[in-house]
Short mmCIF file of all heavy atoms in Angstrom, two decimals:
data_model
loop_
_atom_site.label_atom_id
_atom_site.label_comp_id
_atom_site.label_asym_id
_atom_site.label_seq_id
_atom_site.Cartn_x
_atom_site.Cartn_y
_atom_site.Cartn_z
N PRO A 1737 -106.05 110.17 3.52
CA PRO A 1737 -105.10 109.74 4.49
C PRO A 1737 -103.66 110.10 3.97
O PRO A 1737 -103.42 109.98 2.77
CB PRO A 1737 -105.25 108.22 4.59
CG PRO A 1737 -106.55 107.93 3.94
CD PRO A 1737 -106.84 109.02 2.98
N PRO A 1738 -102.78 110.51 4.87
CA PRO A 1738 -101.42 110.84 4.37
C PRO A 1738 -100.69 109.58 3.88
O PRO A 1738 -101.02 108.46 4.29
CB PRO A 1738 -100.71 111.37 5.63
CG PRO A 1738 -101.51 110.79 6.76
CD PRO A 1738 -102.88 110.68 6.32
N ARG A 1739 -99.78 109.76 2.98
CA ARG A 1739 -99.00 108.58 2.45
C ARG A 1739 -97.69 108.54 3.19
O ARG A 1739 -97.01 109.55 3.50
CB ARG A 1739 -98.75 108.80 0.96
CG ARG A 1739 -99.97 108.58 0.12
CD ARG A 1739 -99.74 108.85 -1.39
NE ARG A 1739 -99.39 110.29 -1.61
CZ ARG A 1739 -98.21 110.75 -1.88
NH1 ARG A 1739 -97.18 109.96 -2.01
NH2 ARG A 1739 -98.03 112.07 -2.09
N TRP A 1740 -97.28 107.32 3.54
CA TRP A 1740 -96.02 107.11 4.28
C TRP A 1740 -95.07 106.21 3.46
O TRP A 1740 -95.54 105.34 2.71
CB TRP A 1740 -96.29 106.36 5.60
CG TRP A 1740 -97.20 107.16 6.50
CD1 TRP A 1740 -98.54 106.99 6.63
CD2 TRP A 1740 -96.83 108.20 7.38
NE1 TRP A 1740 -99.07 107.93 7.52
CE2 TRP A 1740 -98.01 108.66 7.98
CE3 TRP A 1740 -95.62 108.84 7.68
CZ2 TRP A 1740 -98.06 109.73 8.85
CZ3 TRP A 1740 -95.64 109.93 8.60
CH2 TRP A 1740 -96.83 110.32 9.16
N ARG A 1741 -93.83 106.48 3.52
CA ARG A 1741 -92.86 105.61 2.85
C ARG A 1741 -92.87 104.23 3.48
O ARG A 1741 -93.07 104.13 4.74
CB ARG A 1741 -91.43 106.16 3.01
CG ARG A 1741 -91.18 107.46 2.33
CD ARG A 1741 -89.81 107.93 2.74
NE ARG A 1741 -89.56 109.27 2.26
CZ ARG A 1741 -89.06 109.55 1.04
NH1 ARG A 1741 -88.75 108.60 0.20
NH2 ARG A 1741 -88.88 110.78 0.69
N ASP A 1742 -92.56 103.25 2.70
CA ASP A 1742 -92.43 101.88 3.28
C ASP A 1742 -91.21 101.72 4.17
O ASP A 1742 -91.16 100.83 4.99
CB ASP A 1742 -92.35 100.86 2.12
CG ASP A 1742 -93.68 100.77 1.40
OD1 ASP A 1742 -94.70 100.99 2.01
OD2 ASP A 1742 -93.69 100.40 0.19
N GLU A 1743 -90.21 102.54 3.90
CA GLU A 1743 -88.95 102.42 4.67
C GLU A 1743 -89.17 102.67 6.20
O GLU A 1743 -90.16 103.30 6.56
CB GLU A 1743 -87.92 103.44 4.19
CG GLU A 1743 -87.34 103.08 2.87
CD GLU A 1743 -87.68 104.13 1.83
OE1 GLU A 1743 -88.88 104.40 1.70
OE2 GLU A 1743 -86.76 104.63 1.19
N SER A 1744 -88.25 102.25 7.00
CA SER A 1744 -88.23 102.53 8.40
C SER A 1744 -87.31 103.74 8.69
O SER A 1744 -86.35 103.96 7.95
CB SER A 1744 -87.71 101.33 9.17
OG SER A 1744 -88.56 100.26 9.11
N ALA A 1745 -87.70 104.49 9.74
CA ALA A 1745 -86.80 105.60 10.14
C ALA A 1745 -86.41 105.40 11.60
O ALA A 1745 -87.20 104.88 12.41
CB ALA A 1745 -87.52 106.90 9.97
N LEU A 1746 -85.19 105.83 11.90
CA LEU A 1746 -84.70 105.71 13.28
C LEU A 1746 -83.93 106.96 13.64
O LEU A 1746 -83.26 107.57 12.77
CB LEU A 1746 -83.82 104.47 13.40
CG LEU A 1746 -83.30 104.13 14.83
CD1 LEU A 1746 -83.40 102.62 15.04
CD2 LEU A 1746 -81.84 104.59 14.92
N CYS A 1747 -84.05 107.39 14.86
CA CYS A 1747 -83.41 108.65 15.34
C CYS A 1747 -82.65 108.33 16.60
O CYS A 1747 -83.09 107.75 17.51
CB CYS A 1747 -84.46 109.68 15.62
SG CYS A 1747 -83.88 111.14 16.52
N VAL A 1748 -81.37 108.82 16.62
CA VAL A 1748 -80.51 108.70 17.80
C VAL A 1748 -80.24 110.10 18.34
O VAL A 1748 -79.82 110.97 17.58
CB VAL A 1748 -79.17 107.98 17.46
CG1 VAL A 1748 -78.34 107.82 18.75
CG2 VAL A 1748 -79.40 106.63 16.74
N VAL A 1749 -80.51 110.30 19.65
CA VAL A 1749 -80.28 111.59 20.26
C VAL A 1749 -78.86 111.66 20.73
O VAL A 1749 -78.41 110.76 21.49
CB VAL A 1749 -81.31 111.82 21.41
CG1 VAL A 1749 -80.90 113.11 22.18
CG2 VAL A 1749 -82.71 111.93 20.84
N TYR A 1750 -78.16 112.71 20.38
CA TYR A 1750 -76.79 112.96 20.87
C TYR A 1750 -77.01 114.02 21.98
O TYR A 1750 -77.34 115.18 21.71
CB TYR A 1750 -75.93 113.48 19.76
CG TYR A 1750 -74.45 113.11 19.78
CD1 TYR A 1750 -73.66 113.18 18.68
CD2 TYR A 1750 -73.86 112.76 21.01
CE1 TYR A 1750 -72.29 112.82 18.71
CE2 TYR A 1750 -72.51 112.36 21.03
CZ TYR A 1750 -71.75 112.41 19.91
OH TYR A 1750 -70.43 112.07 19.92
N ALA A 1751 -76.78 113.63 23.24
CA ALA A 1751 -77.01 114.53 24.37
C ALA A 1751 -75.75 115.05 24.95
O ALA A 1751 -74.69 114.49 24.81
CB ALA A 1751 -77.81 113.71 25.41
N ALA A 1752 -75.90 116.15 25.70
CA ALA A 1752 -74.77 116.79 26.34
C ALA A 1752 -74.41 116.04 27.64
O ALA A 1752 -75.31 115.45 28.33
CB ALA A 1752 -75.05 118.23 26.64
N GLU A 1753 -73.15 116.08 27.96
CA GLU A 1753 -72.69 115.49 29.21
C GLU A 1753 -73.51 116.01 30.37
O GLU A 1753 -73.80 117.22 30.44
CB GLU A 1753 -71.21 115.93 29.40
CG GLU A 1753 -70.47 115.34 30.58
CD GLU A 1753 -69.04 115.85 30.57
OE1 GLU A 1753 -68.56 116.54 29.66
OE2 GLU A 1753 -68.32 115.43 31.53
N GLY A 1754 -73.94 115.14 31.25
CA GLY A 1754 -74.72 115.55 32.42
C GLY A 1754 -76.21 115.57 32.21
O GLY A 1754 -77.00 115.69 33.17
N TYR A 1755 -76.69 115.37 30.94
CA TYR A 1755 -78.13 115.33 30.69
C TYR A 1755 -78.68 114.04 31.36
O TYR A 1755 -78.04 113.04 31.29
CB TYR A 1755 -78.39 115.31 29.17
CG TYR A 1755 -79.84 115.17 28.80
CD1 TYR A 1755 -80.72 116.22 28.92
CD2 TYR A 1755 -80.37 113.96 28.34
CE1 TYR A 1755 -82.05 116.13 28.65
CE2 TYR A 1755 -81.67 113.83 28.01
CZ TYR A 1755 -82.55 114.92 28.14
OH TYR A 1755 -83.88 114.82 27.85
N PRO A 1756 -79.88 114.07 31.94
CA PRO A 1756 -80.83 115.13 32.02
C PRO A 1756 -80.72 116.07 33.19
O PRO A 1756 -81.34 117.10 33.27
CB PRO A 1756 -82.20 114.38 32.08
CG PRO A 1756 -81.80 113.13 32.87
CD PRO A 1756 -80.42 112.76 32.45
N ASP A 1757 -79.88 115.72 34.24
CA ASP A 1757 -79.84 116.51 35.49
C ASP A 1757 -79.22 117.88 35.29
O ASP A 1757 -79.79 118.90 35.63
CB ASP A 1757 -79.14 115.79 36.58
CG ASP A 1757 -79.92 114.49 36.94
OD1 ASP A 1757 -81.15 114.52 36.86
OD2 ASP A 1757 -79.30 113.49 37.31
N ALA A 1758 -77.98 117.91 34.75
CA ALA A 1758 -77.27 119.18 34.65
C ALA A 1758 -76.44 119.18 33.34
O ALA A 1758 -75.21 118.96 33.40
CB ALA A 1758 -76.34 119.35 35.84
#
Side-chain angles (χ1 to χ4, degrees):
R1739 287 176 295 107
W1740 301 95
R1741 294 174 188 272
D1742 290 332
E1743 288 115 307
S1744 293
L1746 183 137
C1747 167
V1748 183
V1749 172
Y1750 213 159
E1753 186 176 358
Y1755 177 73
D1757 295 328

